[in-house]
Amino acid sequence: DMFAHPSTQQNLDRLRSFGNRIIEPAEGELASHLVGKGRMEEPDKIVAVLDDFFASQIQLEKKKIVITAGPTYEKIDPVRFIGNYSSGKMGFALAEACAGQGAEVTLIAGPVSLKTVHPNIKRIDVESAEEMYHAAMEAFPEADAGILCAAVADYRPDVQATEKIKRETKGEMTLLLVPNKDIAASLGAIKREGQILVGFALETNDETAHAEGKLKRKNLDFIVLNSLRDAGAGFRCDTNKITIIDKEGEATAYPLKSKQGVAVDIINKLATLLK
Ligand code: PMT
């Protein structure tokens, strides 16, 4: 009676509409059951179904994955820096999802206010692109894959003032910027046979062409394109909308999802290449 009750049925319909799988005995099976629909399944059967489910989710067992996340801060003087809006959410979601799927993760994080949860995440906190470069170059040779999600500053001030720069009364001031190393391209250049390198492309225009250019230039295996033209995508929000473009030029577009859901889509693609 409880199972047949409209409120139970309504809840089940709602779960189905979210795409959840509901395990029910087939109609024919019912007759052979002493008690029918709504009866709790035998605990050992529940455990077996859960074991199967989680086994299919462990795609990165013992794989070593290096992930960069967050922004970099390029110091101007002791109180100012050049930075960007990256919150680290996308990179941290990837780190948790990789660890959850059995990987040993090295997470190289720029300045963010996020915490890591999974015990298999080794976190290295850095501030500048130069520090991120050194940490990544050290960790990548031992890794099976690298996922470069950080929003790395392409330029830094030529000189970092040791004292706070005072306001000039005369008017304008000019900062000379010099290029930072490209971490993705540097890892692409030392990538071994069998290692997989995944990059991101954050674009505002001519998205596909720019992403494809970065994929080739940085010797990546695939690139995750997100565009600031899509609502709910990119910096700071809890969601993202991506297109994965691989070396063969195949592009797969995904709907807007939570950053956790996006991380799973990226891992599913990565797992096919790591096997
Ligand atoms: O942190 P969130 O708020 O969650 O936002 C997520 C994100 C928008 C930062 C993320 O999804 C993302 O797009 N990250 C890459 C941002 C970026 O800098 O893209 P890019 O197109 O400028 O760089 C291309 C690739 O080269 C990236 O993999 C980047 O990490 C890498 N790169 C860039 C410059 C550099 N000097 N070294 C690099 O490794």
Side-chain angles (χ1 to χ4, degrees):
D1 284 352
M2 227 158 143
F3 186 79
H5 193 279
S7 57
T8 312
Q9 288 302 317
Q10 244 171 33
N11 283 335
L12 288 170
D13 283 345
R14 279 183 54 211
L15 286 172
R16 282 189 200 96
S17 73
F18 293 150
N20 288 23
R21 205 174 118 225
I22 293 167
I23 302 161
E24 291 175 78
E27 279 306 319
E29 251 182 293
L30 275 180
S32 64
H33 280 61
L34 216 55
V35 237
K37 275 195 173 174
R39 175 177 181 267
M40 185 184 139
E41 188 51 276
E42 293 304 327
D44 54 348
K45 276 202 183 165
I46 295 176
V47 170
V49 169
L50 290 175
D51 276 350
D52 278 359
F53 175 79
F54 285 111
S56 71
Q57 304 295 300
I58 304 292
Q59 303 188 84
L60 301 177
E61 181 116 58
K62 299 258 156 31
K63 297 288 183 204
K64 292 194 170 75
I65 316 270
V66 176
I67 298 172
T68 66
T72 64
Y73 285 1
E74 310 300 323
K75 253 193 189 151
I76 298 171
D77 69 12
V79 300
R80 304 178 181 95
F81 60 86
I82 296 174
N84 60 66
Y85 295 118
S86 173
S87 63
K89 284 181 186 171
M90 188 65 248
F92 275 57
L94 275 161
E96 295 294 343
C98 285
Q101 294 211 20
E104 290 168 27
V105 177
T106 301
L107 174 64
I108 304 169
V112 294
S113 56
L114 300 176
K115 288 191 169 61
T116 42
V117 180
H118 201 289
N120 287 353
I121 301 175
K122 179 186 155 199
R123 176 170 173 175
I124 302 172
D125 286 310
V126 297
E127 186 170 295
S128 64
E130 183 71 12
E131 288 168 10
M132 188 174 276
Y133 167 82
H134 287 295
M137 288 296 275
E138 196 180 323
F140 187 61
E142 301 299 315
D144 297 289
I147 308 177
L148 306 171
C149 186
V152 185
D154 282 316
Y155 293 88
R156 66 176 184 278
D158 183 30
V159 178
Q160 298 180 357
T162 50
E163 307 296 343
K164 184 178 174 190
I165 299 172
K166 298 287 174 289
R167 186 189 170 102
E168 292 286 337
T169 46
K170 277 176 279 173
E172 290 164 5
M173 82 168 272
T174 305
L175 270 182
L176 178 64
L177 302 181
V178 294
N180 277 328
K181 294 189 187 85
D182 187 321
I183 301 168
S186 307
L187 299 186
I190 61 163
K191 187 170 72 171
R192 284 183 280 109
E193 175 86 36
Q195 274 184 316
I196 303 297
L197 196 57
V198 179
F200 271 71
L202 178 64
E203 306 297 344
T204 57
N205 61 297
D206 298 328
E207 286 85 347
T208 308
H210 285 130
E212 283 174 350
K214 287 173 187 175
L215 174 78
K216 289 202 182 75
R217 246 189 349 267
K218 300 178 191 230
N219 192 24
L220 306 170
D221 294 277
F222 66 89
I223 195 156
V224 181
L225 164 64
N226 41 189
S227 172
L228 290 186
R229 282 205 281 192
D230 288 322
F235 289 131
R236 296 192 283 195
C237 42
D238 293 325
T239 52
N240 205 357
K241 186 169 186 300
I242 62 159
T243 300
I244 291 181
I245 305 173
D246 65 20
K247 271 198 299 201
E248 288 69 41
E250 195 178 315
T252 312
Y254 296 82
L256 185 76
K257 291 185 181 185
S258 67
K259 283 186 172 164
Q260 285 70 23
V262 169
V264 171
D265 290 333
I266 294 168
I267 290 170
N268 287 342
K269 174 73 178 174
L270 175 64
T272 62
L273 301 175
L274 279 173
K275 271 171 196 156

